[in-house]
mmCIF file of all heavy atoms in Angstrom:
data_model
loop_
_atom_site.group_PDB
_atom_site.id
_atom_site.type_symbol
_atom_site.label_atom_id
_atom_site.label_comp_id
_atom_site.label_asym_id
_atom_site.label_seq_id
_atom_site.Cartn_x
_atom_site.Cartn_y
_atom_site.Cartn_z
ATOM 1 N N GLU A 21 47.185 -20.681 30.856
ATOM 2 C CA GLU A 21 45.747 -20.838 30.855
ATOM 3 C C GLU A 21 45.011 -19.540 31.264
ATOM 4 O O GLU A 21 43.892 -19.307 30.907
ATOM 5 C CB GLU A 21 45.313 -21.975 31.757
ATOM 6 C CG GLU A 21 45.660 -23.339 31.227
ATOM 7 C CD GLU A 21 44.822 -23.721 30.029
ATOM 8 O OE1 GLU A 21 43.638 -23.361 30.006
ATOM 9 O OE2 GLU A 21 45.365 -24.362 29.061
ATOM 10 N N GLY A 22 45.618 -18.769 32.123
ATOM 11 C CA GLY A 22 45.013 -17.551 32.662
ATOM 12 C C GLY A 22 44.098 -17.857 33.864
ATOM 13 O O GLY A 22 43.647 -16.951 34.545
ATOM 14 N N ARG A 23 43.889 -19.151 34.134
ATOM 15 C CA ARG A 23 43.087 -19.573 35.297
ATOM 16 C C ARG A 23 43.804 -20.688 35.952
ATOM 17 O O ARG A 23 44.586 -21.421 35.374
ATOM 18 C CB ARG A 23 41.695 -20.034 34.848
ATOM 19 C CG ARG A 23 40.875 -18.998 34.143
ATOM 20 C CD ARG A 23 39.506 -19.577 33.812
ATOM 21 N NE ARG A 23 38.705 -18.669 32.973
ATOM 22 C CZ ARG A 23 37.438 -18.878 32.646
ATOM 23 N NH1 ARG A 23 36.828 -19.984 33.067
ATOM 24 N NH2 ARG A 23 36.814 -18.031 31.886
ATOM 25 N N ILE A 24 43.542 -20.872 37.245
ATOM 26 C CA ILE A 24 44.135 -21.957 37.993
ATOM 27 C C ILE A 24 42.998 -22.781 38.630
ATOM 28 O O ILE A 24 41.945 -22.267 38.945
ATOM 29 C CB ILE A 24 45.109 -21.474 39.076
ATOM 30 C CG1 ILE A 24 44.428 -20.496 40.030
ATOM 31 C CG2 ILE A 24 46.332 -20.858 38.435
ATOM 32 C CD1 ILE A 24 45.291 -20.124 41.203
ATOM 33 N N ARG A 25 43.272 -24.058 38.791
ATOM 34 C CA ARG A 25 42.307 -24.951 39.395
ATOM 35 C C ARG A 25 42.449 -24.854 40.904
ATOM 36 O O ARG A 25 43.538 -24.995 41.467
ATOM 37 C CB ARG A 25 42.564 -26.375 38.941
ATOM 38 C CG ARG A 25 41.510 -27.386 39.340
ATOM 39 C CD ARG A 25 41.912 -28.803 38.841
ATOM 40 N NE ARG A 25 40.966 -29.813 39.235
ATOM 41 C CZ ARG A 25 40.018 -30.239 38.469
ATOM 42 N NH1 ARG A 25 39.861 -29.746 37.267
ATOM 43 N NH2 ARG A 25 39.210 -31.208 38.882
ATOM 44 N N VAL A 26 41.349 -24.654 41.580
ATOM 45 C CA VAL A 26 41.337 -24.530 43.052
ATOM 46 C C VAL A 26 40.226 -25.427 43.621
ATOM 47 O O VAL A 26 39.413 -25.968 42.848
ATOM 48 C CB VAL A 26 41.109 -23.089 43.481
ATOM 49 C CG1 VAL A 26 42.240 -22.182 43.031
ATOM 50 C CG2 VAL A 26 39.776 -22.540 42.967
ATOM 51 N N THR A 27 40.233 -25.589 44.910
ATOM 52 C CA THR A 27 39.142 -26.311 45.592
ATOM 53 C C THR A 27 38.370 -25.334 46.422
ATOM 54 O O THR A 27 38.954 -24.571 47.218
ATOM 55 C CB THR A 27 39.751 -27.406 46.510
ATOM 56 O OG1 THR A 27 40.454 -28.345 45.682
ATOM 57 C CG2 THR A 27 38.631 -28.163 47.203
ATOM 58 N N LYS A 28 37.024 -25.352 46.179
ATOM 59 C CA LYS A 28 36.178 -24.399 46.891
ATOM 60 C C LYS A 28 35.183 -25.111 47.778
ATOM 61 O O LYS A 28 34.745 -26.216 47.443
ATOM 62 C CB LYS A 28 35.438 -23.493 45.918
ATOM 63 C CG LYS A 28 36.322 -22.484 45.218
ATOM 64 C CD LYS A 28 35.499 -21.489 44.414
ATOM 65 C CE LYS A 28 36.327 -20.385 43.807
ATOM 66 N NZ LYS A 28 35.547 -19.417 43.055
ATOM 67 N N GLN A 29 34.869 -24.463 48.866
ATOM 68 C CA GLN A 29 33.794 -24.977 49.744
ATOM 69 C C GLN A 29 32.483 -24.301 49.316
ATOM 70 O O GLN A 29 32.373 -23.072 49.313
ATOM 71 C CB GLN A 29 34.092 -24.666 51.209
ATOM 72 C CG GLN A 29 35.263 -25.384 51.815
ATOM 73 C CD GLN A 29 34.889 -26.830 52.092
ATOM 74 O OE1 GLN A 29 33.774 -27.135 52.551
ATOM 75 N NE2 GLN A 29 35.826 -27.741 51.820
ATOM 76 N N VAL A 30 31.546 -25.111 48.906
ATOM 77 C CA VAL A 30 30.281 -24.566 48.380
ATOM 78 C C VAL A 30 29.115 -25.079 49.211
ATOM 79 O O VAL A 30 29.048 -26.219 49.596
ATOM 80 C CB VAL A 30 30.088 -24.995 46.909
ATOM 81 C CG1 VAL A 30 28.775 -24.395 46.370
ATOM 82 C CG2 VAL A 30 31.257 -24.544 46.066
ATOM 83 N N GLU A 31 28.210 -24.136 49.563
ATOM 84 C CA GLU A 31 27.016 -24.527 50.322
ATOM 85 C C GLU A 31 25.980 -25.192 49.387
ATOM 86 O O GLU A 31 25.693 -24.695 48.331
ATOM 87 C CB GLU A 31 26.406 -23.318 50.973
ATOM 88 C CG GLU A 31 27.035 -22.924 52.296
ATOM 89 C CD GLU A 31 26.176 -21.995 53.096
ATOM 90 O OE1 GLU A 31 25.138 -21.510 52.565
ATOM 91 O OE2 GLU A 31 26.564 -21.661 54.240
ATOM 92 N N VAL A 32 25.462 -26.304 49.842
ATOM 93 C CA VAL A 32 24.401 -27.021 49.120
ATOM 94 C C VAL A 32 23.187 -27.096 50.002
ATOM 95 O O VAL A 32 23.265 -27.589 51.123
ATOM 96 C CB VAL A 32 24.871 -28.420 48.723
ATOM 97 C CG1 VAL A 32 23.774 -29.109 47.945
ATOM 98 C CG2 VAL A 32 26.123 -28.353 47.865
ATOM 99 N N ASN A 33 22.059 -26.624 49.521
ATOM 100 C CA ASN A 33 20.827 -26.710 50.278
ATOM 101 C C ASN A 33 20.049 -27.916 49.810
ATOM 102 O O ASN A 33 19.653 -28.053 48.622
ATOM 103 C CB ASN A 33 19.970 -25.442 50.052
ATOM 104 C CG ASN A 33 20.602 -24.207 50.611
ATOM 105 O OD1 ASN A 33 21.091 -24.229 51.751
ATOM 106 N ND2 ASN A 33 20.631 -23.119 49.865
ATOM 107 N N ILE A 34 19.833 -28.860 50.724
ATOM 108 C CA ILE A 34 19.022 -30.054 50.441
ATOM 109 C C ILE A 34 17.543 -29.713 50.584
ATOM 110 O O ILE A 34 17.062 -29.449 51.671
ATOM 111 C CB ILE A 34 19.369 -31.211 51.394
ATOM 112 C CG1 ILE A 34 20.904 -31.446 51.422
ATOM 113 C CG2 ILE A 34 18.613 -32.453 50.977
ATOM 114 C CD1 ILE A 34 21.496 -31.775 50.099
ATOM 115 N N PRO A 35 16.773 -29.646 49.482
ATOM 116 C CA PRO A 35 15.409 -29.266 49.572
ATOM 117 C C PRO A 35 14.547 -30.267 50.318
ATOM 118 O O PRO A 35 14.751 -31.474 50.225
ATOM 119 C CB PRO A 35 14.941 -29.170 48.096
ATOM 120 C CG PRO A 35 16.198 -29.155 47.272
ATOM 121 C CD PRO A 35 17.199 -29.936 48.103
ATOM 122 N N ILE A 36 13.610 -29.777 51.076
ATOM 123 C CA ILE A 36 12.645 -30.678 51.767
ATOM 124 C C ILE A 36 11.841 -31.451 50.748
ATOM 125 O O ILE A 36 11.373 -30.917 49.730
ATOM 126 C CB ILE A 36 11.699 -29.861 52.651
ATOM 127 C CG1 ILE A 36 12.483 -29.247 53.864
ATOM 128 C CG2 ILE A 36 10.544 -30.701 53.163
ATOM 129 C CD1 ILE A 36 11.672 -28.334 54.703
ATOM 130 N N GLY A 37 11.737 -32.784 50.991
ATOM 131 C CA GLY A 37 10.906 -33.637 50.151
ATOM 132 C C GLY A 37 11.584 -34.130 48.898
ATOM 133 O O GLY A 37 10.943 -34.842 48.116
ATOM 134 N N ILE A 38 12.910 -33.890 48.686
ATOM 135 C CA ILE A 38 13.555 -34.288 47.493
ATOM 136 C C ILE A 38 13.589 -35.853 47.442
ATOM 137 O O ILE A 38 13.664 -36.511 48.498
ATOM 138 C CB ILE A 38 14.962 -33.693 47.401
ATOM 139 C CG1 ILE A 38 15.531 -33.899 46.001
ATOM 140 C CG2 ILE A 38 15.894 -34.303 48.445
ATOM 141 C CD1 ILE A 38 16.806 -33.047 45.764
ATOM 142 N N HIS A 39 13.580 -36.416 46.225
ATOM 143 C CA HIS A 39 13.644 -37.845 46.057
ATOM 144 C C HIS A 39 14.968 -38.325 45.528
ATOM 145 O O HIS A 39 15.731 -37.559 44.894
ATOM 146 C CB HIS A 39 12.527 -38.299 45.057
ATOM 147 C CG HIS A 39 11.146 -38.216 45.645
ATOM 148 N ND1 HIS A 39 10.476 -39.310 46.184
ATOM 149 C CD2 HIS A 39 10.256 -37.162 45.739
ATOM 150 C CE1 HIS A 39 9.298 -38.909 46.613
ATOM 151 N NE2 HIS A 39 9.126 -37.658 46.333
ATOM 152 N N THR A 40 15.274 -39.576 45.728
ATOM 153 C CA THR A 40 16.459 -40.190 45.175
ATOM 154 C C THR A 40 16.399 -40.011 43.635
ATOM 155 O O THR A 40 15.398 -40.283 42.982
ATOM 156 C CB THR A 40 16.544 -41.658 45.528
ATOM 157 O OG1 THR A 40 16.950 -41.830 46.857
ATOM 158 C CG2 THR A 40 17.544 -42.419 44.615
ATOM 159 N N GLY A 41 17.570 -39.615 43.073
ATOM 160 C CA GLY A 41 17.648 -39.429 41.618
ATOM 161 C C GLY A 41 17.426 -38.017 41.144
ATOM 162 O O GLY A 41 17.883 -37.651 40.027
ATOM 163 N N GLN A 42 16.818 -37.167 41.964
ATOM 164 C CA GLN A 42 16.633 -35.768 41.598
ATOM 165 C C GLN A 42 17.968 -35.029 41.764
ATOM 166 O O GLN A 42 18.851 -35.467 42.483
ATOM 167 C CB GLN A 42 15.545 -35.139 42.453
ATOM 168 C CG GLN A 42 14.165 -35.629 42.141
ATOM 169 C CD GLN A 42 13.067 -34.881 42.891
ATOM 170 O OE1 GLN A 42 13.207 -34.633 44.057
ATOM 171 N NE2 GLN A 42 11.949 -34.585 42.224
ATOM 172 N N GLN A 43 18.076 -33.892 41.050
ATOM 173 C CA GLN A 43 19.347 -33.170 40.986
ATOM 174 C C GLN A 43 19.205 -31.777 41.522
ATOM 175 O O GLN A 43 18.149 -31.135 41.462
ATOM 176 C CB GLN A 43 19.862 -33.112 39.562
ATOM 177 C CG GLN A 43 20.250 -34.480 38.953
ATOM 178 C CD GLN A 43 20.804 -34.346 37.545
ATOM 179 O OE1 GLN A 43 20.412 -33.452 36.792
ATOM 180 N NE2 GLN A 43 21.674 -35.239 37.214
ATOM 181 N N ILE A 44 20.334 -31.297 42.055
ATOM 182 C CA ILE A 44 20.489 -29.895 42.523
ATOM 183 C C ILE A 44 21.496 -29.248 41.589
ATOM 184 O O ILE A 44 22.598 -29.818 41.364
ATOM 185 C CB ILE A 44 20.952 -29.828 43.972
ATOM 186 C CG1 ILE A 44 19.926 -30.495 44.897
ATOM 187 C CG2 ILE A 44 21.189 -28.374 44.376
ATOM 188 C CD1 ILE A 44 20.412 -30.664 46.318
ATOM 189 N N ARG A 45 21.213 -28.074 41.058
ATOM 190 C CA ARG A 45 22.108 -27.403 40.117
ATOM 191 C C ARG A 45 22.860 -26.275 40.826
ATOM 192 O O ARG A 45 22.282 -25.458 41.488
ATOM 193 C CB ARG A 45 21.276 -26.817 38.936
ATOM 194 C CG ARG A 45 22.097 -26.036 37.996
ATOM 195 C CD ARG A 45 21.162 -25.271 37.019
ATOM 196 N NE ARG A 45 21.899 -24.392 36.161
ATOM 197 C CZ ARG A 45 21.320 -23.366 35.509
ATOM 198 N NH1 ARG A 45 20.048 -23.136 35.682
ATOM 199 N NH2 ARG A 45 22.007 -22.599 34.693
ATOM 200 N N LEU A 46 24.184 -26.328 40.663
ATOM 201 C CA LEU A 46 25.020 -25.196 41.137
ATOM 202 C C LEU A 46 25.622 -24.505 39.929
ATOM 203 O O LEU A 46 26.524 -25.049 39.254
ATOM 204 C CB LEU A 46 26.124 -25.726 42.039
ATOM 205 C CG LEU A 46 25.705 -26.377 43.355
ATOM 206 C CD1 LEU A 46 26.907 -26.845 44.150
ATOM 207 C CD2 LEU A 46 24.850 -25.453 44.196
ATOM 208 N N GLN A 47 25.117 -23.322 39.622
ATOM 209 C CA GLN A 47 25.494 -22.625 38.390
ATOM 210 C C GLN A 47 26.926 -22.140 38.504
ATOM 211 O O GLN A 47 27.373 -21.546 39.445
ATOM 212 C CB GLN A 47 24.548 -21.445 38.169
ATOM 213 C CG GLN A 47 24.748 -20.792 36.809
ATOM 214 C CD GLN A 47 23.634 -19.747 36.590
ATOM 215 O OE1 GLN A 47 22.783 -19.511 37.425
ATOM 216 N NE2 GLN A 47 23.680 -19.105 35.420
ATOM 217 N N GLY A 48 27.686 -22.423 37.386
ATOM 218 C CA GLY A 48 29.060 -21.942 37.238
ATOM 219 C C GLY A 48 30.114 -22.726 37.922
ATOM 220 O O GLY A 48 31.299 -22.358 37.901
ATOM 221 N N TYR A 49 29.756 -23.904 38.486
ATOM 222 C CA TYR A 49 30.773 -24.733 39.126
ATOM 223 C C TYR A 49 31.095 -25.985 38.314
ATOM 224 O O TYR A 49 31.574 -26.970 38.878
ATOM 225 C CB TYR A 49 30.281 -25.127 40.566
ATOM 226 C CG TYR A 49 30.366 -23.960 41.530
ATOM 227 C CD1 TYR A 49 29.221 -23.217 41.816
ATOM 228 C CD2 TYR A 49 31.552 -23.612 42.112
ATOM 229 C CE1 TYR A 49 29.291 -22.177 42.731
ATOM 230 C CE2 TYR A 49 31.652 -22.553 43.010
ATOM 231 C CZ TYR A 49 30.497 -21.829 43.273
ATOM 232 O OH TYR A 49 30.583 -20.779 44.155
ATOM 233 N N GLY A 50 30.819 -25.938 37.008
ATOM 234 C CA GLY A 50 31.150 -27.027 36.138
ATOM 235 C C GLY A 50 32.516 -26.855 35.462
ATOM 236 O O GLY A 50 33.418 -26.225 36.012
ATOM 237 N N GLY A 51 32.644 -27.410 34.241
ATOM 238 C CA GLY A 51 33.935 -27.312 33.525
ATOM 239 C C GLY A 51 34.272 -25.877 33.121
ATOM 240 O O GLY A 51 33.386 -25.014 32.988
ATOM 241 N N LYS A 52 35.518 -25.654 32.908
ATOM 242 C CA LYS A 52 36.011 -24.299 32.578
ATOM 243 C C LYS A 52 35.560 -23.895 31.169
ATOM 244 O O LYS A 52 35.613 -24.636 30.215
ATOM 245 C CB LYS A 52 37.558 -24.287 32.633
ATOM 246 C CG LYS A 52 38.180 -22.930 32.367
ATOM 247 C CD LYS A 52 39.692 -22.972 32.502
ATOM 248 C CE LYS A 52 40.296 -23.814 31.406
ATOM 249 N NZ LYS A 52 41.781 -23.708 31.374
ATOM 250 N N GLY A 53 35.117 -22.648 31.062
ATOM 251 C CA GLY A 53 34.731 -22.109 29.747
ATOM 252 C C GLY A 53 35.933 -21.822 28.899
ATOM 253 O O GLY A 53 37.051 -21.640 29.427
ATOM 254 N N LEU A 54 35.771 -21.794 27.584
ATOM 255 C CA LEU A 54 36.885 -21.555 26.668
ATOM 256 C C LEU A 54 36.712 -20.156 26.040
ATOM 257 O O LEU A 54 35.627 -19.655 25.797
ATOM 258 C CB LEU A 54 36.890 -22.578 25.570
ATOM 259 C CG LEU A 54 37.040 -24.055 26.015
ATOM 260 C CD1 LEU A 54 37.015 -25.003 24.810
ATOM 261 C CD2 LEU A 54 38.378 -24.224 26.743
#
């Protein structure tokens, strides 16, 4: 594959005033590109 699956610790900032159902996006931490 050229890549290996690892587990990373990622910081998530909870925005002030956020509501249930809203989303926070972490760029590049989704599925592996082809």
Side-chain angles (χ1 to χ4, degrees):
E21 289 290 324
R23 301 183 186 185
I24 57 172
R25 188 182 179 95
V26 297
T27 299
K28 288 188 175 182
Q29 292 285 321
V30 181
E31 277 196 354
V32 180
N33 293 315
I34 309 301
I36 291 175
I38 195 168
H39 287 264
T40 284
Q42 290 185 317
Q43 294 182 329
I44 299 172
R45 176 191 175 201
L46 295 181
Q47 189 172 1
Y49 286 99
K52 182 179 67 172
L54 300 178

